[in-house]
Amino acid sequence: ACQMIRDAVQSGDEDGDKEEENKPFFLYVAHTAPHWPLHAPAEAVAKYRGKYTVGWDEIRKRRHTQLIEKGIIKDYWKCSPRDENSIPWEDEQNKDWEDARMAVYAAQIDIMDQGIGRIVQTLKDCNVYENTIIIFLSDNG
């Protein structure tokens, strides 16, 4: 599992110079952007299909409550109002399509999260995690 890290830090030295392995390295990973067009393997989407039928208004309330319960935000922080360009869920005419769309988006995020988890675990397995800076950037999502 550490071969990826070793490959990243070695400078072409076939013998794997130990001094070279202790030098800093840069590893860049670019996942598929989690936005339109939405696409993910069917089995990944199936995991989330039907979870969004309660609608975006209810999901926002539940997530806000979870953030408070986990101590991530203060209980006096109110949930922001729904975007003025978004209609209330009860007025949505294509609820099944919206559920499918949100399920695919969730599957994309899940796949990306699993990949990042494998990278973090490899860093730990190679005993370089504690000396690593991880920067996560996203254009949206």
Side-chain angles (χ1 to χ4, degrees):
C2 295
Q3 192 59 47
M4 175 187 74
I5 303 298
R6 289 188 184 106
D7 289 349
V9 299
Q10 288 180 358
S11 61
D13 181 0
E14 298 284 331
D15 297 327
D17 183 2
K18 293 296 180 194
E19 283 184 33
E20 192 69 24
E21 286 187 20
N22 292 324
K23 288 185 178 180
F25 63 94
F26 175 79
L27 179 64
Y28 172 82
V29 179
H31 286 279
T32 300
H35 57 69
W36 198 264
L38 300 173
H39 48 86
E43 63 276 4
V45 175
K47 179 178 173 183
Y48 294 98
R49 198 67 162 95
K51 293 188 185 265
Y52 296 94
T53 57
V54 296
W56 41 68
D57 295 318
E58 181 61 27
I59 290 169
R60 288 181 75 243
K61 288 178 193 172
R62 291 178 185 179
R63 288 178 178 169
H64 182 257
T65 299
Q66 288 175 343
L67 291 170
I68 293 169
E69 289 171 352
K70 292 179 179 182
I72 296 172
I73 63 172
K74 303 292 184 190
D75 60 355
Y76 55 82
W77 291 2
K78 301 299 177 208
C79 188
S80 62
R82 181 185 344 98
D83 184 294
E84 62 187 37
N85 295 317
S86 295
I87 62 170
W89 180 253
E90 58 269 10
D91 295 343
E92 175 56 54
Q93 298 297 310
N94 300 303
K95 288 181 173 78
D96 188 60
W97 185 83
E98 290 292 349
D99 172 66
R101 188 171 71 99
M102 290 189 282
V104 175
Y105 178 79
Q108 289 180 309
I109 299 296
D110 189 346
I111 291 166
M112 182 175 60
D113 190 51
Q114 290 177 44
I116 293 167
R118 286 189 297 272
I119 292 168
V120 167
Q121 187 59 55
T122 300
L123 292 168
K124 289 178 179 180
D125 293 346
C126 294
N127 297 316
V128 295
Y129 176 77
E130 295 298 327
N131 196 26
T132 298
I133 297 172
I134 297 173
I135 301 171
F136 180 86
L137 302 172
S138 180
D139 66 339
N140 66 355

